[in-house]
Amino acid sequence: MQMTAQRQLCIGFSLSTTWMKGQGWREPDSDVEKMATIDFYIGLAKLAEKAKLDFLFRADYLYVSPQMIGKVASFGSPDPTLMFAAIARETKRIGLVTTVSTTFNPPYVVARQLQSLHWLSNGRTGWNIVTSIEGAENFGDSPMPSPQERYAKAREFTEVVRKLWMSFPHESLRVDRESGVFVDMKQVKAIDHSGEFFSVKGPLTVPGHQAGSIPLFQAGASDTGRNFASSQADAIFAAMPDLESGVKLRKDLRRRAQEQGRSGDDIRVLPGLYFFLGNTREEAYELYKATHAHMSFEYRNAALITVLGLDLSGFASEDRVTADMLPDPNLPVRSRTHAELLRHFIAKNEPTVEEVLCRPEVLGSAHWVSIGTVADVLADIIKHFEAGAIDGFIALPGGSEGSMLLFFEQLMPQLVELGLFRSEYTGTTLREHLGIHKN
Ligand SMILES: Cc1cc2nc3c(=O)[nH]c(=O)nc-3n(C[C@H](O)[C@H](O)[C@H](O)COP(=O)(O)O)c2cc1C
């Protein structure tokens, strides 16, 4: 009988200090000051590599709002590609997935920076393609382009970057002392791209890496976002507040990938898993409560207005929120992905005001929240995997450093023991970790 290998999870670790969110940083022993040094992130990267994780991940924004600084533990948002360049030298195997926006950058510069990181890291780079929600004011006088325009630009941007990566292929490197041919110039070609948004001649200044091309991640799951992801991306950083929305999203993305001539397995659905781990359930729930304690009714309602355009001030906590209270779906919102998830939840459940204001879409970024002991969160991961909602996840530790350490010291080894995660790296590149075989 032929044995089929057990399907394994693909796991990334977010290099943002999510456990310092809320009031956690004010604790005398939080060690928050160390967040300002690269050594801190290198230490985390090494922990994740010791656990043989597929990749490190870092989100990125090109603007800063007063809510993001001031009372929040944050040393700003350093450029993640530069951070990964430093981390590349201190790690050997783990993938490095950086976030770069297609809305505000020139594609030639981005193609070059990513190929350079690929080279610095010996083939471990991944690109999380984002279209950005805000930040237009930092790049000129024009207002934020509509989501449709941002995705149209993202498509062309990605096409240009890919063409540039192929313009100076690794195979063109001959390094032949005898004939004196270093690069086979027949293989190095201009791309002569001329499109709606960009005109780029090429070729790129950096040759391709022998590891193959850079895996693409995408975040954003509106209809346009899903079409984009299913045609281009190897993985999607998904907002998945509940199991049901996850099963639907993954099924839909797999179907769309197949319609575009790809296999369903070509697109890996990886939600953010925002976990609160404690030695007891009570301890874990306390952590969760403490993290969100500073968020008053007014604060949460203000967040709800930005997510959905719905204002619940004047309502009592136990009042029901029903579908007929939802604003016109065509009104502009920051992220259609988050708005759609919450609209669906309200229409289906008619929740109370209190329940709406506790939703992950309101309190955070609509990530899958899991609270409890290591056994509880492990069971939750297995349930999502077996239900077909996920191919893996991006770990976002919540609450405390202790919660993060429980993940590495106890939860990860149990996933390995159950055969759901690797015990050793079998490859050296991100493509190999993700199981991407085609170029
Ligand atoms: C889970 C998730 C993570 C995201 N991370 C980022 C990010 O790090 N930086 C950024 O500029 N935009 C980020 N975005 C925004 C998306 O790139 C996109 O601009 C936005 O979701 C609008 O697309 P949509 O209409 O498909 O929702 C993220 C979106 C989601 C759903």
Side-chain angles (χ1 to χ4, degrees):
M1 196 176 69
Q2 201 187 345
M3 297 280 287
T4 46
Q6 184 178 1
R7 200 161 73 94
Q8 290 197 325
L9 289 156
C10 165
I11 305 180
F13 180 75
S14 167
L15 258 198
S16 309
T17 46
T18 31
W19 60 95
M20 300 267 191
K21 273 185 166 183
Q23 301 295 298
W25 68 273
R26 296 178 66 190
E27 295 298 319
D29 59 353
S30 75
D31 258 351
V32 64
E33 293 76 12
K34 66 190 178 189
M35 273 172 68
T37 66
I38 186 66
D39 293 347
F40 175 58
Y41 299 93
I42 288 171
L44 292 171
K46 287 187 168 167
L47 263 183
E49 188 170 61
K50 198 166 153 224
K52 324 290 179 210
L53 260 50
D54 291 85
F55 59 89
L56 299 164
F57 178 90
R58 194 157 157 112
D60 191 46
Y61 296 90
L62 292 166
Y63 71 100
V64 67
S65 70
Q67 292 97 304
M68 289 157 80
I69 45 179
K71 297 198 164 177
V72 180
S74 161
F75 287 95
S77 185
D79 185 311
T81 311
L82 286 176
M83 276 179 79
F84 280 131
I87 291 168
R89 298 305 299 157
E90 303 282 339
T91 51
K92 291 225 156 9
R93 304 292 274 271
I94 194 159
L96 311 171
V97 181
T98 184
T99 296
V100 186
S101 172
T102 52
T103 299
F104 303 120
N105 293 299
Y108 194 91
V109 174
V110 172
R112 181 170 182 250
Q113 283 176 343
L114 290 167
Q115 194 62 266
S116 303
L117 183 64
H118 209 34
W119 179 68
L120 288 171
S121 64
N122 290 320
R124 292 186 283 138
T125 300
W127 174 24
N128 180 36
I129 305 171
V130 294
T131 57
S132 297
I133 297 171
E134 284 179 55
E137 66 278 15
N138 296 324
F139 298 91
D141 297 327
S142 309
M144 198 66 198
S146 70
Q148 284 79 4
E149 187 180 336
R150 277 159 30 217
Y151 274 117
K153 199 170 177 187
R155 265 188 189 279
E156 194 183 324
F157 192 112
T158 312
E159 184 195 332
V160 173
V161 168
R162 288 184 124 154
K163 284 200 234 168
L164 284 169
W165 285 342
M166 288 187 290
S167 68
F168 189 169
H170 182 73
E171 296 69 34
S172 69
L173 293 172
R174 283 284 162 80
V175 197
D176 186 343
R177 285 186 174 78
E178 211 159 298
S179 64
V181 175
F182 198 88
V183 172
D184 174 6
M185 285 312 292
K186 284 200 293 297
Q187 295 188 50
V188 182
K189 296 200 172 80
I191 66 167
D192 291 322
H193 176 92
S194 172
E196 187 185 348
F197 300 97
F198 306 108
S199 282
V200 182
K201 185 161 174 25
L204 196 61
T205 60
V206 197
H209 192 273
Q210 62 185 7
S213 70
I214 294 172
L216 304 182
F217 286 53
Q218 201 266 1
S222 60
D223 188 54
T224 343
R226 289 180 193 203
N227 277 339
F228 177 57
S230 55
S231 68
Q232 311 274 336
D234 299 295
I236 175 158
F237 179 34
M240 191 180 288
D242 52 60
L243 181 73
E244 186 211 352
S245 69
V247 172
K248 271 198 190 150
L249 173 69
R250 184 163 171 274
K251 230 186 228 158
D252 183 61
L253 284 167
R254 292 174 70 85
R255 179 185 56 78
R256 287 179 200 237
Q258 281 159 0
E259 279 171 11
Q260 316 220 30
R262 305 174 76 204
S263 145
D265 291 339
D266 285 346
I267 180 148
R268 295 142 188 87
V269 178
L270 311 176
L273 169 56
Y274 189 28
F275 61 80
F276 293 78
L277 282 168
N279 288 312
T280 61
R281 263 182 211 166
E282 293 68 37
E283 198 185 301
Y285 277 94
E286 268 314 308
L287 268 185
Y288 180 74
K289 252 174 65 190
T291 300
H292 298 101
H294 65 294
M295 296 183 173
S296 62
F297 183 97
E298 289 69 31
Y299 181 100
R300 292 170 197 231
N301 192 49
L304 178 67
I305 294 171
T306 67
V307 172
L308 201 54
L310 176 65
D311 183 355
L312 293 179
S313 52
F315 286 84
S317 298
E318 63 283 3
D319 287 346
R320 295 260 158 210
V321 185
T322 52
D324 55 314
M325 292 162 68
L326 291 171
D328 179 349
N330 298 314
L331 287 176
V333 286
R334 273 178 93 228
S335 159
R336 290 175 299 170
T337 302
H338 296 90
E340 258 323 299
L341 286 165
L342 195 51
R343 292 181 75 88
H344 179 77
F345 174 79
I346 291 172
K348 182 159 178 253
N349 301 294
E350 299 207 343
T352 62
V353 166
E354 171 75 19
E355 283 165 345
V356 170
L357 294 181
C358 283
R359 287 292 298 172
E361 297 90 339
V362 177
L363 297 181
S365 301
H367 291 304
W368 160 24
V369 180
S370 195
I371 310 165
T373 60
V374 167
D376 291 334
V377 175
L378 185 71
D380 201 18
I381 293 170
I382 294 171
K383 190 164 118 198
H384 277 69
F385 196 38
E386 287 179 349
I390 62 170
D391 294 288
F393 56 86
I394 298 183
L396 310 167
S400 69
E401 194 167 9
S403 165
M404 190 256 300
L405 291 174
L406 280 174
F407 172 75
F408 283 122
E409 289 165 6
Q410 295 189 25
L411 200 148
M412 281 309 305
Q414 292 193 33
L415 281 175
V416 173
E417 210 162 291
L418 291 167
L420 293 170
F421 196 66
R422 70 170 70 83
S423 55
E424 283 304 330
Y425 285 114
T426 50
T428 56
T429 68
L430 178 59
R431 292 177 67 85
E432 288 170 317
H433 303 337
L434 296 177
I436 303 172
H437 302 297
K438 291 177 298 215
N439 240 329

